[in-house]
Amino acid sequence: MELPDIVDEIVDWIPSINYNSSNQQLSVFETTIRYLGGMISGYDLLTGPLAHVASNASAVQALLAQSVNLADAMKYTFDTPTGIPHHSLFLNNHSYKDGFDNSIASVGSVQIEWQRLSDLSGNPEYGRLVQKSASYLLNPESEVWPGLLGIKLDFRDGHFTDLAGGWGASADSFYEYLIKMYIYDSSRYKIYRDRWILAADSTMKHLASQSPTKSGLTFLASFWNQTIFQFSGHLNCFAGGNFILGGQVLNRSDYIDFGLKLVDSCHATYNSTLTGLGPEGFGWDSNSVPENQKGFFQRNGFYIRSSYYALRPEVIESYYHAYRATGNEMYRDWAWDAFIALNTTCRAKNGFSAITDINAYGGGKSMNFQESFLFAEVLKYSYMIQKPSQAWDVGHKGKNRYVYNTEAHPV
């Protein structure tokens, strides 16, 4: 938004942070995508197309220095027999708090940030660490279907510990990063592209599932050892945008068309509720419909499994990709409708709050909690879809000069 006073305040404060002093448990994945990704993105933009916005050049340079400091503070997480990282850390005493497994999302969704840090800093260590851990996902010992993996793997030996999966929690951003690493550097990361194609093709073949009560709705099912479960959720709704992005990059109209179907179907989960916002979890298995939702299921093609809304971005994110690919103003309208619903239902005295029930008037109760991804993703995508194209936009003038990490930070 190019607001110099706010940018200066942020970049002047970041150098004062001592990451080694934190005594709170942190997620390596969340810290990477939010903190490390945010600082690296700020550095890339403020030394690139937005260089005119920040007045303190030394503070901008400190964004890179602090990125190095944070990565150095966390890199002991990879000190395991396989190089697969621990999930949770205490930075102040270099300890861990977790078991012996980690999710494919946590292991496979840090490559953009750490590799970009290597490329910016000239220190290859950061990239080597994440490429080694990713090797267990790019060359897996087992697959449920080609390209589709279980969720958990043991960092002691790299073996998968379950056969569950899908495009939802604990798996989602692994599939997202496969095509995005190829966008980041197509000469170095063709294997990521190849693995995304395998996953995309298997998803279209095995996981695409139609609603039995409303034609035209296509959702992505979950699985356990090739047994399909007809439930999904808000997190899965990023997949529409990811298929569209992959289709644009690979010049594959079948991926784009499939992605648009997913976008339309996730829009239906918003358009069918009293608040105009979508549920955390939903299903379409006609044998599992709650008694009090049978009418809702018949009308809308799905039923609500988890009614809360946690200020999630995935649906608006996919609207953004659909608009960038098609130029269809309908997706801008859908994004505006979602923003109005958010502002109407979730606005709090200070900021916004998650709500307990998207299908109750007023959203049920306030959960008195606001995630940082409201700002990083929801409001960002809501803004970018409405404004004229800029250098950092997806497909700007036919090119991707930047790639967005899973927290919507462009690098």
Side-chain angles (χ1 to χ4, degrees), residues 108-394:
S109 308
V110 294
Q111 281 65 35
I112 291 174
E113 298 84 356
W114 288 69
Q115 187 60 58
R116 182 59 179 162
L117 183 59
S118 271
D119 294 341
L120 288 172
S121 68
N123 183 347
E125 179 185 20
Y126 310 115
R128 282 201 303 261
L129 289 171
V130 294
Q131 297 305 333
K132 181 179 179 181
S133 61
S135 67
Y136 290 89
L137 307 180
L138 299 174
N139 302 284
E141 60 162 8
S142 62
E143 299 172 283
V144 180
W145 286 289
L148 295 178
L149 311 180
I151 286 178
K152 297 288 186 179
L153 66 167
D154 193 316
F155 62 63
R156 294 171 296 182
D157 54 22
H159 295 325
F160 281 87
T161 60
D162 70 15
L163 296 171
W167 286 63
S170 300
D172 45 7
S173 49
F174 161 63
Y175 299 112
E176 176 186 356
Y177 272 35
L178 291 176
I179 194 63
K180 288 185 173 182
M181 279 297 288
Y182 177 69
I183 295 170
Y184 177 69
D185 192 330
S186 60
S187 62
R188 282 189 286 177
Y189 300 122
K190 290 182 174 64
I191 187 174
Y192 284 84
R193 173 202 62 191
D194 296 343
R195 294 299 301 179
W196 186 86
I197 291 172
L198 281 176
D201 289 348
S202 289
T203 297
M204 294 170 68
K205 182 177 180 179
H206 300 291
L207 303 187
S209 180
Q210 282 69 46
S211 167
T213 64
K214 191 169 185 178
S215 63
L217 294 188
T218 300
F219 300 118
L220 294 186
S222 302
F223 62 83
W224 177 273
N225 193 22
Q226 297 195 354
T227 297
I228 293 297
F229 297 94
Q230 292 177 314
F231 60 80
S232 188
H234 204 293
L235 285 168
N236 304 62
C237 285
F238 90 94
N242 193 244
F243 268 87
I244 293 167
L245 178 64
Q248 289 178 283
V249 171
L250 302 175
N251 195 27
R252 290 279 300 268
S253 61
D254 55 337
Y255 293 148
I256 294 175
D257 291 343
F258 183 71
L260 292 172
K261 288 182 181 179
L262 297 179
V263 174
D264 291 352
S265 302
C266 284
H267 171 254
T269 69
Y270 271 51
N271 199 41
S272 303
T273 70
L274 293 177
T275 61
L277 298 168
E280 178 71 8
F282 55 88
W284 58 100
D285 182 350
S286 58
N287 296 315
S288 302
V289 185
E291 188 66 31
N292 65 349
Q293 291 196 59
K294 288 188 174 180
F296 182 93
F297 179 56
Q298 288 298 320
R299 291 190 304 273
N300 301 306
F302 70 97
Y303 57 89
I304 298 166
R305 300 179 78 240
S306 299
S307 64
Y308 68 92
Y309 173 65
L311 306 176
R312 291 202 185 278
E314 292 80 15
V315 172
I316 297 177
E317 172 186 355
S318 286
Y319 294 165
Y320 169 77
H321 282 285
Y323 175 71
R324 296 298 303 175
T326 67
N328 191 331
E329 291 290 329
M330 174 181 70
Y331 298 111
R332 273 181 161 172
D333 293 340
W334 288 0
W336 182 248
D337 291 342
F339 177 75
I340 293 298
L342 171 78
N343 201 41
T344 301
T345 309
C346 301
R347 194 66 179 258
K349 182 178 179 180
N350 296 297
F352 295 79
S353 173
I355 55 173
T356 60
D357 192 346
I358 45 80
N359 205 36
Y361 288 107
K365 297 180 181 179
S366 168
M367 298 174 72
N368 195 30
F369 191 76
Q370 176 183 273
E371 286 272 11
S372 67
F373 52 63
L374 169 79
F375 299 101
E377 300 184 76
V378 175
L379 299 185
K380 186 184 295 178
Y381 283 122
S382 296
Y383 174 70
M384 290 197 305
I385 195 174
Q386 304 296 345
K387 66 170 184 55
S389 183
Q390 300 287 344
W392 48 84
D393 273 301
V394 170

